[in-house]
Amino acid sequence: MKQGALIFTFLICVVSAIAQDKASVRLGLTFRKVNDEPAVLRCEAKTKAGKRFEPVENAIVNIYFSEENNSNLIGTTKTNGKGIADVNVPASFLTRMDSTASWHFVATLTEGETYKGASAEADVTRARLQVDFQEADSTRTIVAILSEWKDGKWTPVPQTEVKLIVKTLFSDLPVGEDTYTTDDEGKASTTFDMKLPGDAEGNLTLGAKLEDHEAYGTLFATSKMKWGVPTPPDNSFSQRTLWASRDKTPWWLLIGPNLIILAVWGSIFYLVYLFVKIRRSGMQKT
Amino acid sequence: MITAIFRLTNVQWRTPLTRISEIIAVAAIIFAAIGIIIDMGRPDRLWHLFVYSRLQSPIIWDVIVITTYLVLSVLFLYFPLLPDLPMLIKSKEANPKDFTGKLYRFLGSFWRGKDDQRKYSETAIRIISVMIIPVALSIHTVTSWLFATTYRPGWDSTNFGAYFVSGAFLVGAGGVVIAMYVFRRAYHLEEYITDKHFDNMGKVLVMLALLYLYFNLNEYLVPAFKMKKAEEHHLKSLFTGEYAMLFWSVIVLGMIVPVIVLMFKKGRRPLPMFIMGILVVVGAWYKRFLIVTPTLLSPFLPMYDVPESYTNYHPTLAEWAITFSTLSGALLVITFFVRYFPIIPIHETIEEKEAILNPKS
């Protein structure tokens, strides 16, 4: 009897110790919108391991509009290897979002085997970032226009830092300075005099970016302009090159090595022939 | 290749060393080929290399030269073995059902030592001796090109072909010296593999180590003089960084110490030669490690946001197992060969001794 009680107490201690060992999660929620595409809500979950943070993988995250209940559920997703989970705001929420000037979002992370549950909230003011291009007397200008929805209309947002960029393969290349401040009309601009390679027609993707703003989130506006140097596409893959497929081996590489291979293997077959002659000679009765 | 050069230049003292060199070459090339197949990760797709081969790819050049060298090395071992086989058959006549007797008969029962047979055999050996030199040069050069045809720091070098060839020469000679010592002791071959052979091989080893040192000087000093940004991480990891201890140990113990020791006549005695041979071969293995690993840890494109394990390398258990099993496999091939065939060419040795006794004939 006493032994049973001891085992039971031990088990309770073990279970409670395991429960206590669950890590606390720090959950972040940010808002992001690119051009007219659906807005994206991004959750980032991490736990503290020693002196540094580590991402929480495969955690289930629910994101709600306004408050946490089933009718407000925007979407459910799982965090990836970097602890990040993105949810696109579906079209069904657009009417509700358009009717107000600011939005409130709630994210909840479901408790897992090794981590505790967590929640995060974000308040976002409805804003928009546009990019405009002007060309006069061979001077090219990029203009970013930032405005927010106030009193039923779009109102310029002054004194805010925005970036003017060219999109490249891996990152964004700043045009001129790193950031520009919007004026009273909500505009920030710079001249564009960079000679950059574009596509075959000279198209570059230029844009404006407002990053991690406390009220508006991340806003990104891009557009294509023929301000680059036209770069014909490299179609050498379909020609006889070193990087082409096997049926397009360059002639010199096909002929030269094959002649050497033929000469060497021809000699090897001659050696085999000599061996056959040695064998035949030995088999003959003298 | 060493044997071929000795044969073509008619080096008189070569006879007891030729078969040792040839069987080392055959065993090494068999496991070089198997090693590549294992390293590719999908041995079941080996046939893809032949069916879907692109001549533009250096890996195909490697497949071609390895196959060619393997065939030539086997023939180079077999043709000089033919005159010895009747003696081996005779030694097993008492027990005709014995496996080794059957093997000897299969390989050489047709050898009668007739004039035409000797003529064909000598022609074949001469052809192989000539052919095997460019093919052996190709095999090491193509292996170097697997690295040198990339833009990676440490590999992007026009010196790489000659550097690999000289490295292969050195390790090959080192391997022959180790085998000479082991076979001499194990089979009491002091009468055949004499101190003179060690002395001569010691001189050859000094020359080859100096040659390899010269190519190392080219390989590291010239890029270090320029210290291009892309090469800096790689070179500093070798000279003063993570791999400095290993790098300088290889240079000093694997090349400089053998040169110094073998310059003295006492250093060219069998035991010091054996120790220097081991230093050369072990040094050569670590040299290959130093050619491959630090370069792969010096990324060609900037790396960020990667796990910490991507920035260092420790061989896994599987990699150690592959390394040791290929080495063991090569040693097993040599052991089997020595168990069943004479490691000293009998017929050639008899002919040589007869020539000494009857110089006019």
Side-chain angles (χ1 to χ4, degrees):
Chain A
M1 189 66 183
K2 266 186 179 174
Q3 275 185 337
L6 270 172
I7 292 169
F8 181 72
T9 316
F10 173 73
L11 285 174
I12 292 287
C13 288
V14 169
V15 169
S16 59
I18 291 168
Q20 278 174 1
D21 277 342
K22 283 190 176 182
S24 298
V25 177
R26 185 174 285 191
L27 190 66
L29 178 63
T30 51
F31 177 86
R32 180 184 169 87
K33 188 160 169 56
V34 179
N35 295 331
D36 293 328
E37 292 167 17
V40 177
L41 290 156
R42 168 167 289 189
C43 278
E44 193 171 355
K46 47 194 175 185
T47 56
K48 202 163 187 185
K51 285 185 179 174
R52 55 187 191 148
F53 283 101
E54 280 189 354
V56 180
E57 270 187 76
N58 291 322
I60 296 169
V61 176
N62 293 309
I63 299 178
Y64 302 92
F65 178 62
S66 184
E67 59 183 14
E68 185 184 346
N69 67 44
N70 282 346
S71 62
N72 289 338
L73 182 67
I74 293 174
T76 300
T77 183
K78 263 188 182 178
T79 54
N80 63 14
K82 291 179 179 174
I84 293 171
D86 285 344
V87 168
N88 287 351
V89 177
S92 55
F93 278 85
L94 292 183
T95 324
R96 286 173 70 184
M97 286 172 71
D98 284 349
S99 65
T100 57
S102 64
W103 309 311
H104 182 70
F105 299 101
V106 180
T108 60
L109 181 134
T110 311
E111 185 177 333
E113 283 181 14
T114 56
Y115 51 85
K116 295 175 186 171
S119 67
E121 296 183 7
D123 286 301
V124 180
T125 303
R126 187 177 166 194
R128 75 174 181 196
L129 183 65
Q130 292 167 296
V131 64
D132 191 23
F133 305 98
Q134 292 161 4
E135 200 165 358
D137 301 332
S138 74
T139 304
R140 292 163 167 175
T141 311
I142 310 177
V143 186
I145 310 152
L146 179 65
S147 41
E148 67 173 342
W149 188 255
K150 211 177 198 177
D151 305 327
K153 60 176 183 180
W154 289 108
T155 311
V157 179
Q159 296 302 313
T160 306
E161 303 274 302
V162 292
K163 288 180 174 178
L164 297 169
I165 55 100
V166 183
K167 269 199 86 59
T168 61
L169 191 60
F170 291 112
S171 59
D172 300 327
L173 179 70
V175 180
E177 290 169 29
D178 277 352
T179 57
Y180 295 90
T181 310
T182 53
D183 59 14
D184 290 346
E185 292 179 335
K187 289 181 179 176
S189 63
T190 187
T191 52
F192 179 88
D193 50 13
M194 298 163 95
K195 291 245 179 294
L196 295 175
D199 62 13
E201 292 167 354
N203 283 311
L204 288 177
T205 304
L206 300 156
K209 199 174 188 180
L210 177 74
E211 262 186 332
D212 295 329
H213 190 273
E214 56 183 11
Y216 310 127
T218 296
L219 301 175
F220 201 178
T222 59
S223 189
K224 278 193 174 178
M225 288 298 289
K226 283 187 182 173
W227 285 2
V229 180
T231 311
D234 181 5
N235 59 359
S236 55
F237 191 72
S238 56
Q239 294 159 5
R240 286 192 177 273
T241 56
L242 286 175
W243 46 93
S245 53
R246 59 199 292 267
D247 57 324
K248 295 187 181 67
T249 307
W251 285 116
W252 63 267
L253 191 59
L254 212 53
I255 296 166
N258 274 318
L259 280 177
I260 297 169
I261 292 167
L262 274 176
V264 172
W265 278 89
S267 307
I268 290 175
F269 285 121
Y270 179 66
L271 291 170
V272 174
Y273 170 69
L274 286 176
F275 171 74
V276 172
K277 282 174 97 169
I278 291 172
R279 200 179 152 79
R280 272 193 199 148
S281 168
M283 296 293 196
Q284 277 169 6
K285 285 179 185 168
T286 49
Chain B
M1 184 157 69
I2 292 171
T3 321
I5 293 170
F6 284 171
R7 276 188 195 278
L8 288 176
T9 50
N10 203 22
V11 172
Q12 294 298 324
W13 52 273
R14 71 167 195 273
T15 309
L17 312 186
T18 49
R19 199 158 288 158
I20 295 175
S21 316
E22 283 152 14
I23 187 59
I24 290 176
V26 170
I29 195 67
I30 289 172
F31 281 90
I34 293 175
I36 291 171
I37 294 165
I38 298 169
D39 288 346
M40 286 193 299
R42 287 296 298 262
D44 54 310
R45 292 186 182 173
L46 175 65
W47 60 282
H48 286 201
L49 272 177
F50 300 94
V51 179
Y52 304 116
S53 61
R54 284 171 72 243
L55 210 51
Q56 296 102 310
S57 163
I59 196 89
I60 289 303
W61 312 341
D62 214 27
V63 170
I64 294 165
V65 290
I66 285 180
T67 315
T68 310
Y69 190 68
L70 176 61
V71 173
L72 274 179
S73 296
V74 170
L75 291 174
F76 206 28
L77 184 67
Y78 185 45
F79 274 107
L81 188 68
L82 282 172
D84 290 354
L85 285 166
M87 284 174 253
L88 299 177
I89 293 168
K90 207 170 182 183
S91 70
K92 295 286 172 186
E93 264 174 358
N95 190 2
K97 284 190 177 171
D98 185 75
F99 163 73
T100 44
K102 283 182 186 168
L103 178 70
Y104 297 147
R105 281 196 295 280
F106 173 74
L107 290 173
S109 60
F110 50 85
W111 183 265
R112 305 269 179 269
K114 289 159 72 175
D115 285 347
D116 60 339
Q117 284 185 317
R118 289 167 67 103
K119 196 184 88 189
Y120 296 142
S121 175
E122 276 163 20
T123 310
I125 291 169
R126 224 173 16 253
I127 292 172
I128 303 170
S129 299
V130 173
M131 278 176 72
I132 210 153
I133 295 169
V135 174
L137 286 175
S138 317
I139 202 164
H140 302 299
T141 308
V142 166
T143 307
S144 82
W145 286 350
L146 292 178
F147 300 96
T149 46
T150 70
Y151 294 105
R152 306 286 305 236
W155 296 349
D156 183 12
S157 159
T158 51
N159 186 34
F160 242 47
Y163 172 54
F164 268 49
V165 168
S166 64
F169 257 130
L170 177 63
V171 69
V176 169
V177 167
I178 295 173
M180 278 164 65
Y181 184 83
V182 172
F183 292 139
R184 180 174 131 122
R185 278 197 67 127
Y187 292 103
H188 304 291
L189 299 172
E190 287 80 0
E191 201 184 321
Y192 303 98
I193 305 174
T194 62
D195 285 7
K196 179 75 186 155
H197 290 106
F198 280 95
D199 190 72
N200 287 341
M201 276 306 286
K203 289 171 188 165
V204 171
L205 217 53
V206 169
M207 185 198 74
L208 294 175
L210 283 171
L211 187 71
Y212 195 41
L213 260 174
Y214 166 74
F215 280 112
N216 271 275
L217 208 68
N218 276 284
E219 197 49 45
Y220 294 111
L221 203 63
V222 177
F225 187 82
K226 294 180 280 186
M227 204 53 97
K228 284 191 280 189
K229 200 74 195 158
E231 305 257 345
E232 194 181 350
H233 177 270
H234 172 250
L235 289 170
K236 285 190 173 167
S237 77
L238 292 175
F239 296 159
T240 52
E242 197 184 342
Y243 292 102
M245 182 71 184
L246 192 58
F247 176 76
W248 292 113
S249 301
V250 165
I251 297 283
V252 173
L253 296 174
M255 290 169 229
I256 295 173
V257 169
V259 167
I260 294 170
V261 171
L262 300 178
M263 274 196 188
F264 298 95
K265 198 162 178 63
K266 280 185 181 174
R268 295 195 296 271
R269 284 180 179 170
L271 185 63
M273 278 288 289
F274 173 64
I275 296 167
M276 291 307 112
I278 290 176
L279 280 184
V280 164
V281 171
V282 173
W285 190 88
Y286 279 106
K287 189 83 180 77
R288 273 65 178 167
F289 181 86
L290 286 170
I291 289 169
V292 177
T293 310
T295 287
L296 288 176
L297 288 174
S298 302
F300 189 57
L301 287 172
M303 275 203 324
Y304 62 94
D305 200 18
V306 293
E308 203 268 334
S309 62
Y310 285 24
T311 57
N312 53 55
Y313 169 72
H314 300 286
T316 61
L317 199 62
E319 287 166 329
W320 279 121
I322 292 166
T323 306
F324 284 111
S325 58
T326 46
L327 179 65
S328 316
L331 293 177
L332 190 68
V333 169
I334 297 169
T335 311
F336 269 123
F337 181 85
V338 178
R339 176 73 185 77
Y340 296 112
F341 296 97
I343 195 65
I344 305 289
I346 304 171
H347 189 261
E348 272 186 74
T349 308
I350 294 169
E351 277 193 337
E352 228 171 56
K353 300 230 163 177
E354 278 176 356
I356 293 166
L357 290 173
N358 311 305
K360 282 180 186 171
S361 66

